[in-house]
Amino acid sequence: MRPRLSSVLRHRVGAVSVTFLVLVAVLAVIGPWLAPYDPLQQNQDALLQGPSPDHLLGTDNLGRDELSRLLAGSRLSLLAALEAGVVGLVLGTVPGLLSVYLGRVFEWATLRVMDAFVTLPFLVFAVAMTALLGNGLTQAMLAVGILVSPAFYRVTRAAAFPVAGSQYVEAARLTGAPAWFVLARHVWPKVLPAVAVTTAATLGSSLVIVSSLTFLGIGIRPPEPTWGGMLATSLEYLFQRPTAPLAPALLVILTVGACNGLADTLRDVSGVRAPSLRKEKARAAA
Amino acid sequence: MPLLEVQNLAIHLDPGHLDEPLVSGVDLTLHRGGTLGVVGESGSGKSLTCRSVLGILPPELHTGPATSIRFDGVELTELDATGWGPYRADRIGAVFQDPGSYLDPSVPVGRQLAEVLRVRGGLRKREARDQTVELFTEVGLREPARVAGQYPFELSGGMLQRVLIAIAICRAPDLLVADEATTALDVTVQAEVLDLLADLRERHGLALVLVSHDLAVVAQVCEEVVVMRSGRIVERGTAAQVLRAPQHEYTRCLVEAHGRFGIEHVREARHV
Amino acid sequence: MSDLVEVRDLAVSLGRGRARREILQGVDLTVRPGEIVGLIGETGSGKTTLARSLLGLNRIDRGTVSVTGTEVGSLRGEALRAFRRAGSVQYIFQDPLQSLDPDLPLGRSVGEALEVRGASGIANRVAGALERVGLDSALAARLPSEVSGGQRQRAAIARAMITEPRLLLCDEPVSALDASSRTAVLELLLRLRDDEGVGLLFISHDLGSVAGVTDRIAVLHHGRIVEAGATAQVIGEPSHPYTRLLVGSAPTLDDAGLDRTVRAALRAQLA
């Protein structure tokens, strides 16, 4: 079944998750205008202040307004997560679809490549990629995107496998339909719900990775704020301002939670089973 | 006393029996060594009827308050799980449409039958093995000793159904229920299995309930026939009566289809 | 007009390496325009392989497969797709629940061949095709799961008829249907032959259920046609032991089947 927004909103978890994600997305877009201060502007007179009417979330070690940085940082953090998600989606879904359709050689080759990706550790690969392509968030998230692509590949393959062997696909081919027509008409709609679930889940995990990477200083361009970067800085000054890590950490946790909540709801309303390639293979063989 | 007597069988989804029943008003009588055919299409309630006689209705279904299923004088509807034991395993055998799914794919078929003989019949390993080969011979499996060592995937559909029949009759039951047991088989294999059922009945005095969507299959083996539609019996009588003078419109449609599209049509045209 | 199907000395092997088996060994088969031919074969007889060969889905070892005047055995790639788009041959699957996309309204499935060709006025032609098979054109908006089994198979027939085929390959077209819809679908197929002159190849394991519809019958056994001829001839005086067993095994209402002992003797003869 195709997941519809209305059926997602009927679930309480789904409704809360969607509302929260929309809110965060809106903040990411208009955040910089809402920000009371320039997020990069330093103020030597107000270093490491606690929350006050002037600075609702206080200031950091260079006297920059935390709230403004959080709002500005949401754009960069979310864009980075989105980049990883889209790269993974394209790199995983396209070969996943084609692997059930283009014959054994392509299938074998993509399976081996995806297996290789799975064995690479995220952070190490991302560090290597930034060393290779230059240190930047875009490069780092490209690496992350490559590493999440196997999830998309497997999910797509598992959903497409029984469809590609089905009689209605054979019937379509017997009308002389070219491969793209069959894929677009019959296969893709069956794969879409599973891919939607994976996308939501991946966005959540990508956000964690963005935050971890920026926390570690990988992919970060120093003055620019990201949630992970803010978390790192605030931890350095934990003794001066013990409550400072709360806001960025909470935002990361809640956004990731909302992504996972959305993924769960999507799975429930679309009837997508937990992705398991082996099960699909066994079914197709039987 | 009849061997099996079903009276006023009703099957409900609602445990309080307030809903429209899926099956209602079904009465069946079968004497020792007799044959009863149940004909109907999918959704007619024929399989549910069968399952309630076997005590294997899905847990969400319930028989009605006035339902009585008496087997050899014992009211089956009142039995609990332990009470059912001797009946289901020893006195009533059953075979179904898809024999493969009733066998463990990773155990040789002979061992699966021997297990039943050892657990239910208390036979020793050696005796069970010997009797397995005997039973396989009885159900017409060629090279029974070799088949006993084979796994389900190595056997054809017809052979698997013979193995299932061997398991069903190994405790010398009084009644064998065959629910669409030949539907998935090729026509020549179906004829073999039907021949086997008729043989077993003659040799052991086994009573037979044969359930099928095909009136011709049932008529070939059974003396008594009931036709079911939408959870009710719409016609009953001897096979000859039902075939020659069908009363209900649905039965007439079944008979007519054979006359118009089947082999009978070709034969009639030749003889005219 | 040339024959719709002309298969001569067809041999097909499937599988790779040591698992390679000869499935069809020198098969001849003819279907003439407006004729209904029954191809009867049981599991492992090769009937599915023969049907797939007619659609150009198998590589053939030897022989010729000519369908509506085109030699399909040698067609590959775009030439094969062009032949299929022309739509002079259509295939009816056994179970419409599997051959129709469960997520697409019936109308979309019925009009698919036209969409592939980039034709115009599809909606009208879909409505026409549905009416032609005796379905209300309003059913075009329904999903396969929302109509009865008989209606589904009619929709599948409408999908086939929309390209104005000269030949319908019907693979067990009524085996998955209930008795009442069986009659209606067989009547429909007969009417398409009578009114529109479509030729039909009925592929079935069950002689008993379709024999009365066919003009001629070919019996396939272990990859060979063991007997072929007019239906009355094959049913009335089967000559090959397998055909005799097949005819004698078909459950009938007229008690004219073979005796158990005769069947057993025939089986022994074939083994």
Side-chain angles (χ1 to χ4, degrees), chain B residues 186 188 195 199 260-261 264, chain C residues 42-43 187 212 253 260 263:
Chain B
D186 277 327
T188 55
D195 289 351
D199 278 342
R260 284 178 60 198
F261 304 118
E264 298 88 333
Chain C
E42 297 191 309
T43 310
E187 271 172 358
L253 301 181
R260 265 191 265 169
R263 278 205 288 260

Side-chain angles (χ1 to χ4, degrees), chain A:
Chain A
M1 206 180 87
R2 300 281 283 271
R4 288 174 201 289
L5 186 61
S6 59
S7 46
V8 170
L9 291 182
R10 261 198 296 281
H11 282 63
R12 201 169 44 174
V13 175
V16 171
S17 303
V18 168
T19 313
F20 186 80
L21 288 176
V22 167
L23 213 74
V24 171
V26 168
L27 276 187
V29 174
I30 61 166
W33 288 287
L34 282 186
Y37 299 90
D38 179 347
L40 299 184
Q41 195 198 331
Q42 305 182 2
N43 182 355
Q44 300 300 328
D45 301 331
L47 300 181
L48 294 168
Q49 288 189 348
S52 67
D54 274 350
H55 299 281
L56 286 176
L57 290 178
T59 58
D60 69 1
N61 58 325
L62 297 175
R64 298 174 296 198
D65 180 50
E66 285 273 33
L67 178 63
S68 305
R69 286 181 68 73
L70 211 57
L71 288 171
S74 58
R75 179 186 282 187
L76 261 182
S77 302
L78 289 182
L79 271 182
L82 211 60
E83 181 197 337
V86 169
V87 168
L89 178 78
V90 172
L91 286 186
T93 305
V94 173
L97 269 182
L98 295 179
S99 74
V100 296
Y101 214 83
L102 281 190
R104 288 183 193 190
V105 178
F106 186 83
E107 185 179 359
W108 186 88
T110 51
L111 268 171
R112 293 297 85 77
V113 171
M114 291 297 163
D115 284 350
F117 284 167
V118 170
T119 61
L120 293 172
F122 271 103
L123 291 177
V124 176
F125 185 65
V127 171
M129 282 289 276
T130 48
L132 202 68
L133 301 173
N135 191 10
L137 211 47
T138 316
Q139 287 90 327
M141 293 326 282
L142 183 68
V144 175
I146 290 174
L147 289 191
V148 295
S149 64
F152 285 96
Y153 176 80
R154 282 173 182 280
V155 159
T156 307
R157 228 176 101 73
F161 206 84
V163 181
S166 70
Q167 283 188 1
Y168 52 87
V169 162
E170 181 147 65
R173 293 171 85 163
L174 286 176
T175 65
W180 65 263
F181 181 93
V182 177
L183 284 175
R185 169 59 57 84
H186 297 290
V187 184
W188 177 245
K190 309 289 187 297
V191 173
L192 187 61
V195 170
V197 172
T198 313
T199 308
T202 306
L203 285 180
S205 51
S206 302
L207 194 65
V208 173
I209 297 167
V210 184
S211 307
S212 331
L213 286 176
T214 47
F215 178 80
L216 293 174
I218 301 161
I220 199 169
R221 288 161 293 180
E224 291 210 61
T226 63
W227 293 346
M230 291 174 65
L231 198 57
T233 327
S234 60
L235 282 183
E236 282 174 35
Y237 299 92
L238 198 59
F239 283 112
Q240 287 87 337
R241 274 185 62 219
T243 54
L246 276 182
L250 240 123
L251 255 179
V252 172
I253 291 169
L254 287 178
T255 313
V256 171
C259 284
N260 289 343
L262 176 62
D264 280 352
T265 315
L266 275 173
R267 193 183 53 220
D268 289 349
V269 301
S270 63
V272 175
R273 293 168 307 275
S276 155
L277 191 62
R278 236 179 336 154
K279 231 192 265 169
E280 293 297 341
K281 259 192 173 166
R283 192 196 315 254

Side-chain angles (χ1 to χ4, degrees), chain B residues 39-138:
Chain B
V39 181
E41 51 196 39
S42 52
S44 64
K46 61 184 194 307
S47 286
L48 286 181
T49 301
C50 220
R51 289 183 159 263
S52 46
V53 169
L54 295 167
I56 50 170
L57 269 186
E60 68 274 17
L61 296 179
H62 313 270
T63 51
T67 297
S68 155
I69 303 174
R70 295 183 79 79
F71 178 83
D72 206 10
V74 176
E75 181 60 49
L76 295 183
T77 48
E78 287 164 7
L79 293 181
D80 56 8
T82 38
W84 258 110
Y87 288 94
R88 203 179 288 146
D90 298 345
R91 302 200 59 194
I92 307 179
V95 277
F96 300 94
Q97 176 166 352
D98 178 16
S101 64
Y102 292 88
L103 291 167
D104 185 332
S106 57
V107 178
V109 292
R111 232 172 70 199
Q112 303 195 41
L113 170 52
E115 233 161 62
V116 179
L117 291 170
R118 287 171 64 191
V119 173
R120 300 293 320 175
L123 295 192
R124 287 162 193 280
K125 205 167 180 176
R126 186 65 187 274
E127 296 168 330
R129 206 160 52 206
D130 292 346
Q131 207 178 334
T132 297
V133 173
E134 254 170 60
L135 279 160
F136 277 2
T137 315
E138 163 127 44

